[in-house]
Amino acid sequence: MPRSTSMKWAMVCSIDDHSLEFGIWLCEALTVEGFKSGFTHQFDHKPETVLHVEPSNYDAFVAAYEEHPGVMLIFQILPSQNSVVYEWMKQLSGHIGKIRQGIVLENALSKFANHDLHEVLTNILHWISRSIAIDREWPTASIRITGFPTTFNQYQLAAIFHNFNVVSVHFEDDFGVVCFANKFHAVQAVELFNNLQLDSEHILKVTAISEQLKGQVALTSGVTIEPLQSVASN
């Protein structure tokens, strides 16, 4: 039975060398720092993808953000502090519903050699936590589940999602409703547990309830959205 709740991540950048090494190093450093500081974020060991996009190519930039809709976190390597890519990153990540973290190219190449690494890592972890917390609209993060044994109580149903942050469980006439702390966990629950063979007699059916969550699930299933208008540089 799948149980991984580690965060899928990707990198979008304009450098050819060291990008994969930097991304893996950063996620490992965030995990270690998070453990020391009381954060619970976990990251996939390797990125879903590393995409190289020219900073002047907006269409390629949009395609990069839409190409892997299952990714939750994007590390965006910025050519410079005031690059138009920063505005594109904010616009697209908000529209598609991803957590984004911009990193200036020189800091990526030096692994923040000119900065307090503890402070940098802590700031990134806080940003990820705030991004998830902003999404804590509990009705939005609820799923509908059927196919479990009729003898299940709330605790047994919640135990199916024991690696997720479950807020509440209740039963309707012929289905259960599980509410998570944020929509990221809810989307992952639909992806991982829908059509799961629980035992020889029971197959779970897990679906989103809110229209917003249905839209996010559709994105992770590979349904693309209309690209946004380009942001002009000054």
Side-chain angles (χ1 to χ4, degrees):
M1 182 179 295
R3 292 297 185 189
S4 174
T5 57
S6 59
M7 197 175 296
K8 290 184 179 181
W9 59 279
M11 292 190 66
V12 179
C13 52
S14 57
I15 55 176
D16 294 326
D17 298 322
H18 310 299
S19 53
L20 176 59
E21 175 192 350
F22 169 74
I24 293 175
W25 169 84
L26 179 58
C27 284
E28 290 177 348
L30 287 170
T31 299
V32 172
E33 185 62 40
F35 180 78
K36 293 178 181 177
S37 304
F39 292 91
T40 59
H41 308 308
Q42 299 180 41
F43 307 89
D44 282 359
H45 177 63
K46 293 184 178 180
E48 187 80 1
T49 186
V50 176
L51 298 173
H52 305 283
V53 179
E54 290 298 322
S56 59
N57 192 336
Y58 178 77
D59 290 338
F61 189 84
V62 172
Y65 269 61
E66 294 181 345
E67 187 173 336
H68 295 270
V71 167
M72 184 185 300
L73 170 65
I74 292 180
F75 293 113
Q76 173 67 58
I77 307 302
L78 304 171
S80 62
Q81 187 71 43
N82 299 317
S83 170
V84 68
V85 173
Y86 177 69
E87 296 300 326
W88 292 351
M89 173 189 72
K90 290 196 300 181
Q91 184 186 32
L92 279 170
S93 60
H95 185 57
I96 297 175
K98 297 185 186 297
I99 303 172
R100 43 82 179 175
Q101 175 63 55
I103 300 167
V104 176
L105 174 59
E106 63 181 275
N107 290 332
L109 293 175
S110 69
K111 296 181 180 178
F112 307 105
N114 298 320
H115 300 272
D116 183 323
L117 184 58
H118 167 74
E119 182 178 354
V120 169
L121 296 175
T122 301
N123 285 341
I124 293 175
L125 289 166
H126 276 297
W127 168 249
I128 293 172
S129 294
R130 286 196 301 271
S131 298
I132 293 175
I134 289 171
D135 186 63
R136 286 186 175 178
E137 301 174 17
W138 292 352
T140 302
S142 296
I143 62 171
R144 182 183 190 273
I145 179 169
T146 61
F148 53 88
T150 57
T151 56
F152 263 27
N153 59 32
Q154 292 172 312
Y155 302 104
Q156 289 170 308
L157 189 57
I160 294 175
F161 309 99
H162 74 276
N163 276 350
F164 293 81
N165 193 345
V166 174
V167 174
S168 65
V169 177
H170 71 271
F171 295 105
E172 299 294 339
D173 290 339
D174 58 352
F175 62 92
V177 176
V178 179
C179 180
F180 297 92
N182 58 73
K183 74 179 179 187
F184 302 113
H185 280 186
V187 169
Q188 283 188 304
V190 174
E191 290 180 332
L192 292 173
F193 292 93
N194 188 38
N195 293 320
L196 178 71
Q197 184 90 37
L198 193 62
D199 56 38
S200 60
E201 297 181 354
H202 298 91
I203 298 176
L204 297 181
K205 296 295 181 182
V206 183
T207 56
I209 293 179
S210 72
E211 292 303 317
Q212 182 180 352
L213 192 63
K214 288 178 182 177
Q216 190 67 27
V217 170
L219 284 175
T220 63
S221 299
V223 179
T224 58
I225 60 175
E226 291 298 319
L228 302 176
Q229 295 297 315
S230 175
V231 178
S233 58
N234 294 325

